[in-house]
């Protein structure tokens, strides 16, 4: 999303779960608070569940982190990224790892 704001191409974004499964170096990113919270980042090669299950997990993480909201501001995205890349969020930048990254408060 930041690329759009800065007029840069969004070639790292993947538009579907299926494509993300088939894309080397793809990550799933779960966010809340309209990107203000990065809950989880995980290489797709480690994902062993359905897309529906990812959405359920996102809802659960959002409820834990923001129990006062009604689910607004949640986002589930797939991106081609590499360990060491950063994901900007309102609570700071999450650095991607080879395994998964989970927000400290969770």
């Amino acid at each position: 999303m930041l690329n759009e704001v800065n007029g840069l191409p969004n070639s790292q974004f993947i538009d579907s779960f299926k494509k993300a499964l088939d894309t080397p170096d793809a990550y799933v990113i779960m966010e809340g608070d309209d990107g203000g919270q990065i809950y989880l980042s995980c290489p797709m090669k480690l994902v062993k569940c359905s897309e529906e299950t990812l959405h359920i997990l996102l809802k659960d993480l959002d409820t834990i982190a923001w129990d006062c909201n009604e689910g607004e501001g949640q986002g589930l995205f797939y991106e081609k990224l590499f360990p060491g890349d950063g994901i900007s969020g309102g609570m700071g930048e999450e650095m991607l790892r080879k395994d998964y990254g989970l927000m400290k408060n969770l």
Side-chain angles (χ1 to χ4, degrees), residues 3 8 12 18 21 26 31 33 37 46 66 74-76 80 92 97 103:
N3 281 353
L8 300 171
Q12 79 269 21
K18 173 74 173 106
L21 285 173
E31 68 177 31
D33 190 31
Q37 300 277 327
L46 298 179
W66 288 94
Q74 294 177 7
L76 181 67
K80 185 171 181 167
R97 300 164 32 159
M103 191 174 90

Side-chain angles (χ1 to χ4, degrees), residues 52-98:
E52 179 183 359
T53 301
L54 289 178
H55 281 282
I56 292 167
L57 176 60
L58 172 59
K59 183 178 182 214
D60 290 345
L61 293 174
D62 194 57
T63 299
I64 292 166
W66 288 94
D67 62 352
C68 62
N69 78 24
E70 307 248 338
E72 61 274 351
Q74 294 177 7
L76 181 67
F77 303 99
Y78 309 102
E79 299 183 28
K80 185 171 181 167
L81 299 165
F82 301 95
D85 286 350
I87 306 169
S88 295
M91 299 294 284
E93 185 173 60
E94 170 75 27
M95 298 305 288
L96 292 177
R97 300 164 32 159
K98 290 181 183 178

Side-chain angles (χ1 to χ4, degrees), residues 6-25:
N6 294 312
L8 300 171
N10 281 330
S11 57
Q12 79 269 21
F13 295 110
I14 302 166
D15 64 4
S16 75
F17 176 79
K18 173 74 173 106
K19 286 181 186 175
L21 285 173
D22 296 335
T23 302
D25 303 315

